[in-house]
């Protein structure tokens, strides 16, 4: 029944426009939101609701609200505290990564070759070679404007303060 | 060359590079401003308690966020095009050098007056003299006279390479069968390092470029010495 009705609509261009005229597919219709099954007490309360609302006590008003809505505004808006677990988890894994990095550095072996994570570095990384390199960069005036040599005081042979 | 852990550009050694540094400052400032604005808007959107479910359109803000980016783009494009055309100015070079890329070294030819040509190989790490820069030094440097416009013609003998010297603001692909021309002026004497900038095989990282800018007299002495050696 539904299938033939649906198929008969296929040839018609009016499908989408008629939906929009009827309010569109996003419109909430009363038929979509039925009340839950009510107990006898709740049914009698619903009957009482049809009369004057002044006659309802506060507890009855709250009970009527609870029939239609699961949470109050306060309950709906309260935070869950989930963010604390998320942040805690993030810190934990970052800490774990830090431990892995520390372990790698301890066993990286630049000079000895016992338990290597990284291979040996070239001899140009040794202390006195690096000093000569630095001196050569200053002698050749590398970056004299704002870069490297600009921070060296050539008269007093020290870094500028 | 760059110092260890350097993030920004090297100091300019040519007028074009100076212009590029200033343009980069300008463009990066715009980028920071836009990013800060967007970050602020994101934080504001995420932390607000206000809601409005019934907004359909708004002509005013649509006009603003169409016009403003167009204006910002024009503000970026104008200095950029200025530098682009500046690089193409007629510059009447004093010297023409040919740089040919090979696997895996550069060769330089100074053929204006005499027939001077030589290869420039990287100095291997184990052969470095103390203090020399690893992976950057070469046995022969491309020596140029300082403060002279130099035309450099770049090509390759086998595969694609790219001749690049950051502090001079030069990068030009070396294409086999094609002659690419660029020019620069070394504004100050010094040694300027660069590296091959187009993947060309196993030793692509090991064919650096070294340009040495010296006073004209020294350049003439050097070229006489090189001719004798050849």
């Amino acid at each position: 029944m539904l299938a033939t009705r649906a198929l008969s609509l296929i040839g018609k261009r009016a499908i989408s426009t008629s939906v929009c005229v009827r309010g569109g597919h996003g419109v909430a219709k009363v038929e979509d939101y039925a009340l839950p099954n009510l107990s006898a007490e709740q049914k009698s309360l619903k009957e009482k609701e049809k009369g004057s609302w002044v006659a309802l006590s506060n507890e009855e008003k709250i009970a009527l609200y609870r029939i239609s809505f699961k949470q109050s505004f306060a309950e709906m808006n309260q935070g869950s505290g989930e963010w604390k677990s998320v942040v805690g988890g993030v810190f934990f894994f970052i800490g774990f990564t830090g431990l892995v990095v520390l372990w790698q550095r301890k066993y990286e072996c630049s000079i000895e070759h016992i338990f290597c994570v990284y291979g040996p570095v070239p001899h140009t990384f040794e202390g006195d070679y690096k000093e000569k390199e630095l001196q050569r960069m200053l002698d050749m005036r590398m970056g004299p404007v704002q870069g490297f040599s600009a921070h060296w005081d050539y008269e007093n042979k020290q870094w500028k303060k | 060359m760059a110092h260890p852990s350097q993030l920004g550009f090297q100091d300019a050694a040519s007028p074009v590079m100076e212009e590029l540094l200033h343009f980069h400052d300008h463009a990066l400032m715009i980028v920071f401003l836009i990013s800060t604005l967007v970050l602020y808007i994101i934080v504001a959107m995420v932390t607000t308690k206000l809601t409005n479910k019934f907004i359909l359109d708004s002509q005013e803000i649509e006009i603003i966020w169409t016009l403003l980016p167009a204006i910002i783009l024009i503000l970026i494009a104008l200095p950029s095009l200025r530098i682009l055309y500046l690089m193409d100015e007629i510059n009447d070079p004093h010297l023409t050098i040919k740089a040919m890329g090979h696997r895996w070294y550069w060769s330089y030819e100074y053929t204006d007056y005499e027939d001077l040509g030589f290869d420039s190989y990287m100095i291997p790490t184990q052969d470095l003299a103390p203090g020399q820069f690893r992976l950057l030094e070469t046995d022969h440097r491309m020596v140029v006279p300082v403060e002279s416009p130099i035309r450099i013609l770049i090509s390759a003998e086998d595969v694609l390479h790219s001749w690049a010297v950051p502090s001079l603001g030069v990068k030009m692909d070396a294409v086999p069968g094609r002659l690419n021309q660029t020019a620069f002026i070394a504004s100050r004497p010094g040694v300027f390092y660069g590296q091959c900038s187009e993947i060309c095989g196993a030793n692509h990282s090991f064919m650096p470029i070294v340009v040495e800018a010296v006073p004209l007299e020294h350049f003439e002495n050097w070229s006489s010495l090189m001719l004798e050696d050849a």
Side-chain angles (χ1 to χ4, degrees):
Chain A
M1 167 67 191
L2 197 59
T4 44
R5 264 182 59 201
L7 282 171
S8 70
L9 285 172
I10 283 177
K12 300 185 185 170
R13 269 191 299 152
I15 296 174
S16 63
T17 49
S18 67
V19 167
C20 292
V21 162
R22 279 181 276 134
H25 58 274
V27 173
K29 298 191 283 287
V30 164
E31 307 88 73
D32 294 337
Y33 297 90
L35 275 177
N37 290 331
L38 298 177
S39 68
E41 201 184 311
Q42 287 173 323
K43 278 189 188 145
S44 68
L45 200 53
K46 275 288 181 189
E47 288 300 318
K48 194 173 174 198
E49 194 191 18
K50 291 179 186 172
S52 170
W53 288 343
V54 183
L56 295 169
S57 71
N58 264 352
E59 292 80 22
E60 286 172 334
K61 287 177 190 166
I62 291 172
L64 281 165
Y65 179 85
R66 288 288 175 188
I67 290 171
S68 300
F69 299 102
K70 184 162 178 282
Q71 289 178 313
S72 69
F73 265 68
E75 287 162 5
M76 179 177 69
N77 287 333
Q78 75 187 162
S80 65
E82 187 194 4
W83 67 272
K84 294 178 207 164
S85 340
V86 172
V87 168
V90 166
F91 283 153
F92 173 77
F93 281 108
I94 290 177
F96 178 72
T97 306
L99 286 176
V100 170
V101 170
L102 286 177
W103 182 88
Q104 283 180 323
R105 288 206 178 157
K106 186 166 188 298
Y107 292 100
E108 76 166 315
C109 82
S110 41
I111 310 292
E112 294 97 16
H113 299 271
I114 302 161
F115 190 2
C116 299
V117 175
Y118 308 113
V121 291
H123 68 99
T124 54
F125 282 82
E126 284 156 24
D128 60 333
Y129 195 99
K130 277 279 171 236
E131 271 181 32
K132 296 206 178 81
E133 229 181 54
L134 203 157
Q135 184 59 53
R136 189 157 174 267
M137 283 170 71
L138 291 170
D139 292 340
M140 292 167 85
R141 301 289 197 277
M142 297 282 175
V145 181
Q146 286 181 305
F148 192 68
S149 307
H151 297 127
W152 178 258
D153 188 349
Y154 281 93
E155 260 110 69
N156 300 325
K157 300 245 177 24
Q158 58 185 2
W159 291 108
K160 289 182 188 164
K161 299 282 181 292
Chain B
M1 62 170 268
H3 64 257
S5 74
Q6 176 170 336
L7 291 175
F9 290 119
Q10 300 175 31
D11 280 347
S14 79
V16 166
M17 191 58 203
E18 283 179 52
E19 293 287 343
L20 288 170
L21 287 179
H22 295 313
F23 174 70
H24 178 262
D25 288 344
H26 169 76
L28 193 63
M29 176 56 75
I30 294 177
V31 163
F32 281 155
L33 287 172
I34 294 173
S35 306
T36 310
L37 175 67
V38 170
L39 185 63
Y40 169 76
I41 291 174
I42 289 173
V43 169
M45 290 293 118
V46 162
T47 54
T48 186
K49 298 243 179 295
L50 303 167
T51 56
N52 182 348
K53 297 180 286 182
F54 302 107
I55 299 179
L56 291 173
D57 65 1
S58 166
Q59 295 291 343
E60 298 80 6
I61 197 172
E62 296 249 355
I63 288 176
I64 291 174
W65 71 33
T66 307
L67 272 187
L68 199 53
I71 292 170
I72 291 173
L73 285 173
I74 291 174
L75 285 181
I76 297 175
L78 288 178
S80 175
L81 289 171
R82 183 183 73 87
I83 297 178
L84 188 65
Y85 280 84
L86 195 140
M87 283 159 50
D88 271 349
E89 288 279 320
I90 317 277
N91 61 1
D92 194 21
H94 294 176
L95 187 61
T96 299
I97 305 173
K98 292 189 272 292
M100 306 293 292
H102 309 252
R103 272 173 144 177
W104 284 278
Y105 61 97
W106 292 92
S107 65
Y108 301 108
E109 297 166 31
Y110 296 63
T111 49
D112 284 340
Y113 304 106
E114 310 276 348
D115 235 340
L116 170 59
F118 55 91
D119 297 336
S120 174
Y121 279 85
M122 181 185 88
I123 299 181
T125 304
Q126 61 259 35
D127 297 344
L128 289 168
Q132 282 187 311
F133 308 123
R134 185 177 69 96
L135 305 184
L136 283 176
E137 303 282 4
T138 56
D139 51 5
H140 299 116
R141 296 172 173 170
M142 186 180 107
V143 180
V144 296
V146 73
E147 281 180 24
S148 307
I150 312 282
R151 171 198 284 129
I152 173 152
L153 299 168
I154 299 165
S155 186
E157 298 278 16
D158 37 43
V159 296
L160 290 176
H161 300 270
S162 185
W163 197 84
V165 181
S167 44
L168 295 172
V170 176
K171 182 179 290 179
M172 188 60 77
D173 276 4
V175 182
R178 180 184 172 89
L179 206 54
N180 275 333
Q181 173 182 300
T182 186
F184 65 88
I185 301 176
S187 0
R188 56 181 166 91
V191 183
F192 311 115
Y193 293 90
Q195 292 176 291
C196 177
S197 299
E198 185 65 43
I199 186 81
C200 52
N203 288 347
H204 155 69
S205 317
F206 309 114
M207 47 182 291
I209 296 138
V210 186
V211 176
E212 186 174 347
V214 294
L216 187 57
E217 213 179 67
H218 293 251
F219 171 75
E220 287 167 349
N221 295 339
W222 168 83
S223 68
S224 317
L225 269 167
M226 291 295 286
L227 280 163
E228 278 166 32
D229 284 346

